[in-house]
């Protein structure tokens, strides 16, 4: 790790041996809703270094999985099993967050023990207190009030959720020293480079399924001229096509309406974006439909369709890859289509290969994106692979990051106090 002077504490600043350390990780992973199995464990693997470095401590892991209402919103027992397999040491799943049996468990831990508590989002106050950090209110939540007396340190390793102001992420800032874990430290060090690269064109490719996050970041980056061009793919591309007046047909619109109760808002937000920055936002020129499981490429004239759009089309791929070739900075967030299905992975695969071949500084983020990078074996060609999706693009667009603020705030408080750094 670097010896740069940080504005936050790291694991190297304290002797954590025999101490009780609450470690907030982000192991939010794609899961098969039917079998409950974890489909991709790369985020879990990224935290192993932090957990191993805490091997002499009593480690209490804290994490979330998905969002209320989603198919993969579930308990963390599978995550504990996977963590145990990967570490070669037992990580015990405890089905509670701060109730008395959990507190007793923590009190009885010995050095080297590791437990994983329940999905933080099972508790309403975790997702109720979002938006701007309210340090006082976050600290007064039940999770913080119950767990804080039992711990010596809080390690924030959940870079992927550091754009969220939720109690399990920022509520401990003022009550115990907060330390950046290895994932958090590396993300902040590597991505800080972007602010020192000043060439143009700067391109962001937005895809995946979190349309609200993508829109927010695109608006912010366009408004602040952090980026020259936005290439839209995935559901963001589809919503923008709708916003531009194109009827996608029931196959795709029904899906979007079903999945996004705020779809009308998203479309009108898309219209505003196109009005303001239409020349800097590119939309798919064609699409690939899922026709009875087979890929069928159609131009926009082939819409509306009763079939669902599963990928960007070949003309779009050619157009976007041309843009990427000469870019000096490329940020990619989210896959272009349903990449898990071979026929519909072409858009994602080709765009990612183009990023790997480009000579510009490249950053790829988003849980699903990382799985693609691994599958294509292009890790070495990408400058930084972020564990974050929304957090990666929030950080890069210079938006406030409550999780990072919490770390800095904690160092300000405890750096001066009775706590001695090593
Ligand atoms: C992510 O997957 O991007 C993080 O785990 C944050 O999840 P969220 O967008 O549901 O807050």
């Amino acid at each position: 790790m670097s010896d740069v002077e940080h504005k936050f504490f790291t694991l190297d600043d304290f002797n954590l041996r025999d101490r009780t350390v609450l470690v907030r990780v982000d192991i939010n992973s794609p899961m098969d809703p039917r079998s409950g199995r974890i489909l991709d464990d790369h985020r879990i693997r990224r935290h192993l270094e932090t957990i191993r470095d805490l091997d002499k401590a009593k480690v209490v892991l804290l994490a979330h999985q998905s969002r209320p209402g989603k198919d993969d919103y579930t308990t963390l027992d599978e995550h504990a099993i996977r963590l145990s397999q990967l570490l070669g040491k037992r990580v015990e799943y405890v089905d509670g967050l701060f109730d008395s049996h959990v507190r007793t468990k923590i009190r009885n831990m010995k050095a080297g023990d590791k437990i994983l508590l329940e999905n933080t989002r099972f508790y309403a106050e975790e997702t109720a207190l979002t938006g701007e950090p309210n340090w006082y209110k976050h600290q007064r939540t039940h999770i913080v009030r119950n767990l804080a007396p039992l711990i010596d340190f809080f390690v924030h390793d959940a870079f992927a959720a550091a754009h969220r102001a939720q109690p399990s992420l920022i509520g401990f800032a003022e009550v115990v020293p907060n330390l950046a874990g290895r994932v958090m430290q590396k993300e902040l060090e590597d991505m800080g480079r972007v602010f020192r690269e000043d060439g143009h064109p700067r391109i962001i490719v937005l895809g995946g399924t979190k349309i609200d996050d993508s829109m927010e970041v695109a608006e912010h980056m366009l408004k602040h001229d952090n980026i020259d061009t936005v290439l839209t793919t995935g559901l963001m591309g589809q919503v923008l096509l709708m916003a531009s007046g194109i009827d996608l047909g029931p196959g795709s619109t029904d899906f979007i309406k079903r999945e996004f109760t705020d779809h009308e808002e998203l479309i009108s937000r898309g219209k505003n974006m196109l009005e303001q920055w239409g020349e800097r936002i590119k939309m798919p020129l064609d699409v690939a439909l899922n026709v009875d499981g087979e890929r069928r490429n159609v131009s926009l004239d082939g819409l509306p369709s009763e079939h669902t759009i599963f990928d960007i089309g070949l003309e779009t791929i050619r157009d976007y890859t041309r843009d990427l070739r000469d870019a000096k900075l490329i940020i990619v967030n989210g896959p272009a289509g349903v990449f898990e299905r071979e026929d519909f992975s072409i858009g994602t695969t080709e765009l990612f290969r183009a990023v790997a071949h480009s000579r510009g500084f490249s950053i790829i983020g988003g849980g699903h994106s990382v799985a693609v990078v691994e599958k294509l074996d292009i890790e070495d060609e990408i400058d930084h692979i972020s564990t974050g999706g929304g957090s990666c693009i929030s950080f890069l667009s210079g938006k406030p990051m409550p999780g990072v603020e919490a770390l800095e705030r904690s160092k300000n408080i405890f750096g001066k106090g009775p706590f001695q750094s090593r």
Side-chain angles (χ1 to χ4, degrees):
M1 283 289 152
S2 97
D3 48 10
V4 178
E5 179 70 27
H6 294 104
K7 289 191 197 153
F8 46 83
F9 291 128
T10 69
L11 300 187
D12 303 315
D13 289 323
F14 294 92
N15 182 355
L16 302 169
R17 194 185 185 100
D18 292 331
R19 312 309 292 269
T20 307
V21 183
L22 184 63
V23 186
R24 179 58 161 96
V25 288
D26 189 330
I27 48 177
N28 185 14
S29 305
M31 296 191 75
D32 180 345
R34 266 167 302 190
S35 65
R37 285 287 146 86
I38 294 170
L39 296 172
D40 165 32
D41 63 7
H42 82 269
R43 269 197 178 156
I44 302 180
R45 281 186 273 126
R46 289 283 286 266
H47 288 291
L48 297 180
E49 186 184 351
T50 302
I51 302 173
R52 286 195 180 116
D53 281 358
L54 291 168
D55 208 37
K56 304 269 184 308
K58 303 166 195 171
V59 173
V60 181
L61 296 159
L62 202 56
H64 72 276
Q65 170 64 40
S66 193
R67 299 178 181 182
K70 298 278 175 197
D71 283 351
D72 55 352
Y73 177 58
T74 181
T75 66
L76 298 182
D77 46 350
E78 280 291 323
H79 301 67
I81 295 172
R82 187 64 63 95
L83 265 169
S84 307
Q85 288 164 345
L86 292 166
L87 280 169
K89 294 198 170 150
R90 179 156 191 243
V91 176
E92 185 184 351
Y93 160 69
V94 181
D95 66 341
L97 195 60
F98 52 74
D99 13 334
S100 58
H101 79 280
V102 176
R103 299 201 304 272
T104 306
K105 186 102 206 163
I106 297 176
R107 275 192 208 96
N108 293 335
M109 285 175 80
K110 297 188 188 57
D113 285 353
K114 298 163 197 18
I115 62 173
L116 172 62
L117 305 185
E118 188 51 283
N119 186 346
T120 56
R121 293 186 177 174
F122 279 13
Y123 300 82
E125 61 181 6
E126 174 77 341
T127 42
L129 273 186
T130 51
E132 297 285 302
N134 179 328
W135 303 101
Y136 177 75
K137 278 199 176 166
H138 281 88
Q139 193 177 311
R140 295 292 301 153
T141 52
H142 291 273
I143 176 176
V144 178
R145 278 194 280 168
N146 279 288
L147 294 181
L150 307 176
I151 61 170
D152 300 302
F153 294 94
F154 176 83
V155 169
H156 197 335
D157 212 23
F159 174 80
H163 56 319
R164 306 277 180 229
Q166 296 175 351
S168 75
L169 294 154
I170 67 164
F172 296 89
E174 297 185 358
V175 289
V176 289
N178 284 204
L179 288 50
R182 299 303 186 201
V183 172
M184 177 70 89
Q185 186 180 345
K186 185 165 174 15
E187 294 268 19
L188 297 178
E189 285 173 1
D190 285 5
M191 287 208 288
R193 267 194 66 180
V194 166
F195 301 108
R196 301 190 289 273
E197 311 274 330
D198 56 3
H200 289 268
R202 298 161 77 89
I203 296 181
I204 186 162
V205 187
L206 292 173
T209 54
K210 290 183 182 170
I211 308 173
D212 51 349
D213 277 356
S214 295
M215 285 191 162
E216 204 179 327
V217 164
E219 286 163 348
H220 191 91
M221 289 188 118
L222 288 162
K223 191 163 148 204
H224 292 91
D225 280 331
N226 301 124
I227 212 81
D228 300 306
T229 309
V230 181
L231 306 181
T232 65
T233 68
L235 291 182
M236 165 92 163
Q238 293 181 34
V239 167
L240 283 184
L241 286 174
M242 289 163 85
S244 73
I246 291 172
D247 180 4
L248 306 180
S252 300
T253 45
D254 288 357
F255 173 79
I256 289 170
K257 283 181 187 160
R258 199 173 55 240
E259 288 295 311
F260 300 90
T261 45
D262 58 346
H263 58 273
E264 283 177 9
E265 211 178 288
L266 292 173
I267 293 168
S268 86
R269 197 166 165 187
K271 278 188 191 145
N272 285 337
M273 290 175 69
L274 293 174
E275 266 162 32
Q276 283 196 60
W277 302 291
E279 284 174 9
R280 293 164 63 192
I281 301 176
K282 287 183 121 178
M283 292 179 282
L285 304 168
D286 57 351
V287 294
L289 298 171
N290 177 351
V291 181
D292 303 326
E294 304 277 317
R295 180 184 179 103
R296 186 184 297 163
N297 211 77
V298 294
S299 68
L300 298 183
D301 293 339
L303 299 173
S305 168
E306 59 178 308
H307 302 291
T308 311
I309 299 172
F310 263 44
D311 195 10
I312 52 172
L314 301 177
E315 182 55 33
T316 312
I317 295 172
R318 272 191 290 274
D319 185 51
Y320 285 7
T321 48
R322 260 194 307 269
D323 289 336
L324 292 173
R325 205 175 303 146
D326 303 319
K328 291 287 180 305
L329 171 72
I330 305 172
I331 301 165
V332 182
N333 205 274
V338 186
F339 75 95
E340 298 89 342
R341 305 264 301 265
E342 192 69 29
D343 276 358
F344 303 103
S345 66
I346 301 174
T348 307
T349 308
E350 291 307 312
L351 292 188
F352 277 46
R353 286 213 173 103
V355 177
H357 290 146
S358 152
R359 287 211 216 105
F361 186 76
S362 55
I363 296 183
I364 290 191
H368 295 277
S369 309
V370 182
V372 180
V373 170
E374 286 186 357
K375 193 167 152 213
L376 297 178
D377 199 15
I378 52 170
E379 285 103 321
D380 294 344
E381 274 86 40
I382 308 295
D383 291 290
H384 180 71
I385 302 166
S386 177
T387 51
S391 74
C392 164
I393 45 183
S394 290
F395 178 81
L396 294 173
S397 58
K399 294 177 72 182
M401 298 281 286
V404 181
E405 278 176 50
L407 281 166
E408 295 176 359
R409 194 175 182 87
S410 198
K411 182 166 183 179
N412 275 336
I413 295 170
F414 293 99
K416 302 185 185 95
F419 283 88
Q420 292 298 312
S421 330
R422 281 207 256 194

